Amino acid sequence: MSVMRTGTAVATHGRSAVRHAIAAGRWQRPARGVVVDHSGPLSRQELDLVRLHVCAPGSALAGLSALRVDRFEGFETSHTDVVQPEGSNRPGPGVIGLRPHWSTELSDADVHPTRQPRRTRPARSVVDAAAWTTSDRHA
């Protein structure tokens, strides 16, 4: 199970091998610039990675999406929250379930420097989730 940016797949396997695997149906391309090295349905973790990879460099899972990866329970969502650096472009069309947000603060104080996938720390994730919710009760 591996979700990767197309450039990484090409660097690792070669352009013709990646094209052939996709054309043969062994791999899939769920979004522009992203490949998955299997042909089956995507898991929740893989969907989060696909949605993160279509965002600008320096982006991170955030809010309830980051908390889910950190094994917090009780707040399931069908979408993926991703925080992007302020000024970055909106992700391309066709990525269902992605909720992009922008922030001027994405330093190591807010984003864990070593955990993968890249995500905001739990304290920041809780505050973001409360700020992005649609109801005071849910916050």
Side-chain angles (χ1 to χ4, degrees):
M1 160 189 91
S2 184
V3 176
M4 60 192 115
R5 294 184 198 274
T6 303
T8 303
V10 167
T12 304
H13 302 285
R15 184 175 308 280
S16 62
V18 171
R19 284 183 180 169
H20 182 71
I22 292 170
R26 289 191 312 274
W27 287 16
Q28 56 186 305
R29 190 177 136 194
R32 183 181 175 117
V34 180
V35 295
V36 179
D37 68 358
H38 66 80
S39 61
L42 300 180
S43 69
R44 180 57 202 240
Q45 180 183 13
E46 290 170 328
L47 282 172
D48 285 346
L49 284 173
V50 167
R51 293 167 181 163
L52 178 60
H53 285 328
V54 300
C55 293
S59 298
L61 292 177
L64 295 178
S65 301
L67 292 171
R68 181 179 54 251
V69 174
D70 282 327
R71 295 188 176 95
F72 282 66
E73 297 177 359
F75 297 97
E76 294 303 316
T77 63
S78 59
H79 65 273
T80 302
D81 287 305
V82 176
V83 64
Q84 303 184 122
E86 185 67 37
S88 61
N89 291 330
R90 184 170 199 74
V95 183
I96 298 170
L98 171 64
R99 288 195 185 167
H101 306 274
W102 287 265
S103 175
T104 56
E105 292 294 324
L106 281 176
S107 65
D108 285 348
D110 295 313
V111 177
H112 199 286
T114 59
R115 288 192 181 161
Q116 293 298 319
R118 184 173 159 86
R119 59 188 177 266
T120 55
R121 295 177 189 259
R124 162 82 188 250
S125 298
V126 168
V127 172
D128 284 344
W132 298 334
T133 190
T134 56
S135 73
D136 291 341
R137 182 165 197 254
H138 191 259

